[in-house]
Amino acid sequence: LCSARGAADEASALLRQAAAADPENPYIHEELSHARRQADDLEGAIAAAREALRLSPANTTLLRLLSDLHSTRSAADLDQAIRLARTLIEAIPLDPGHLVHLAALLARRREYGEAAAKAAQAMTASPADGNVWRECSEILSMAGELEGALEAVRQALTRVPGQAEYHHHLGNLLARGGHLDDAIQSHARALEIAPREAYWRGALARELASAGRLDEALRLIDEGLGIQPGHEHLTLVRRELGSSAMPSATGG
């Protein structure tokens, strides 16, 4: 991490020199914005992105960059991020990525009705892209539209059936709706595809225990600890579910 930060700082310094030498080049300011973001200099990143956009005002990539940076900086910047996202939609009305971006920002501001509408537009604009359906499922879930969120992630899974995270998300939604057995099945499928996801394993174990299947839950955790010995989260869940069943240090 320190090495990455040092490299980002060095890149920022070099790009600042390049920008001073060629101040009218928007590409240099764009790259400087990325470097400053990687160096955790968010204010500098925003300033560089603004300069790049000033030099190339029709560049939608720069609009998205600046919108992302504003949405990252603080909740106070959310209005500005949304304004920029709306400008993106005006420039490219049916771009699913930009529609999802705006929908997610609106959901963060709790404008759930418009967020859901933009998500619906994104799914219509990109019917074959499983990732768009998955992202829109998250937005619909935030908007409290559980049935719509379930349908969206199911549609995502018809397009990318082997995506473990989609199965995990489906399980979370099913659990929220009170469908515990179906949630367990979806979470088990996610874990079958990605057995090293320790936090997913812990969540599934807790669900199994809630369903009265404690022995299965303990076996699941023990299996995980066999794959990842000493894993902190798995050890914690194991202790929660049944510390008395853990083997003693003396073997007694």
Side-chain angles (χ1 to χ4, degrees):
L1 183 61
C2 291
S3 176
R5 173 66 183 270
D9 287 337
E10 183 178 356
S12 294
L14 291 171
L15 285 163
R16 282 196 296 271
Q17 293 176 20
D22 188 5
E24 299 302 307
N25 187 331
Y27 174 76
I28 293 175
H29 293 283
E30 179 184 0
E31 290 303 305
L32 176 57
S33 178
H34 288 302
R36 286 186 161 180
R37 178 67 185 92
Q38 290 173 2
D40 292 330
D41 177 11
L42 198 54
E43 297 302 321
I46 289 173
R50 283 176 175 161
E51 182 62 13
L53 189 60
R54 183 188 70 78
L55 294 167
S56 184
N59 189 322
T60 56
T61 298
L62 296 174
L63 276 169
R64 176 61 183 268
L65 171 63
L66 191 54
S67 179
D68 283 337
L69 289 167
H70 276 292
S71 69
T72 299
R73 184 162 66 172
S74 70
D77 269 26
L78 193 53
D79 288 348
Q80 178 64 7
I82 288 172
R83 282 194 291 272
L84 290 165
R86 290 192 190 282
T87 303
L88 276 171
I89 300 302
E90 290 172 5
I92 314 176
L94 296 179
D95 184 286
H98 296 331
L99 285 165
V100 168
H101 175 62
L102 176 57
L105 293 173
L106 289 166
R108 279 182 55 191
R109 200 164 66 178
R110 299 184 180 181
E111 295 184 17
Y112 295 128
E114 188 180 0
K118 294 302 179 187
Q121 282 185 289
M123 291 182 287
T124 300
S126 186
D129 189 335
N131 192 52
V132 168
W133 288 89
R134 165 62 183 92
E135 291 189 59
C136 289
S137 175
E138 187 72 38
I139 292 162
L140 292 168
S141 174
M142 292 171 65
E145 296 191 13
L146 183 58
E147 291 304 315
L150 280 165
E151 177 59 21
V153 73
R154 285 175 174 139
Q155 289 291 332
L157 279 165
T158 66
R159 290 151 177 81
V160 194
Q163 176 59 261
E165 196 279 329
Y166 293 4
H167 287 282
H168 178 69
H169 177 63
L170 175 59
N172 288 341
L173 295 177
L174 289 166
R176 186 190 304 178
H179 307 292
L180 188 56
D181 289 341
D182 290 336
I184 288 171
Q185 184 176 348
S186 289
H187 281 142
R189 177 59 181 144
L191 202 59
E192 179 184 335
I193 299 169
R196 296 186 66 85
E197 290 288 348
Y199 288 92
W200 296 4
R201 185 177 293 272
L204 175 55
R206 287 184 173 118
E207 287 178 355
L208 287 166
S210 296
R213 297 159 62 178
L214 181 58
D215 288 346
E216 290 180 61
L218 292 172
R219 283 198 299 272
L220 186 72
I221 293 298
D222 288 343
E223 180 185 81
L225 287 169
I227 297 171
Q228 297 169 279
H231 191 284
E232 183 177 357
H233 176 69
L234 294 176
T235 301
L236 173 63
V237 175
R238 185 62 169 81
R239 189 178 301 120
E240 287 177 7
L241 295 179
S243 59
S244 64
M246 292 184 71
S248 69
T250 60

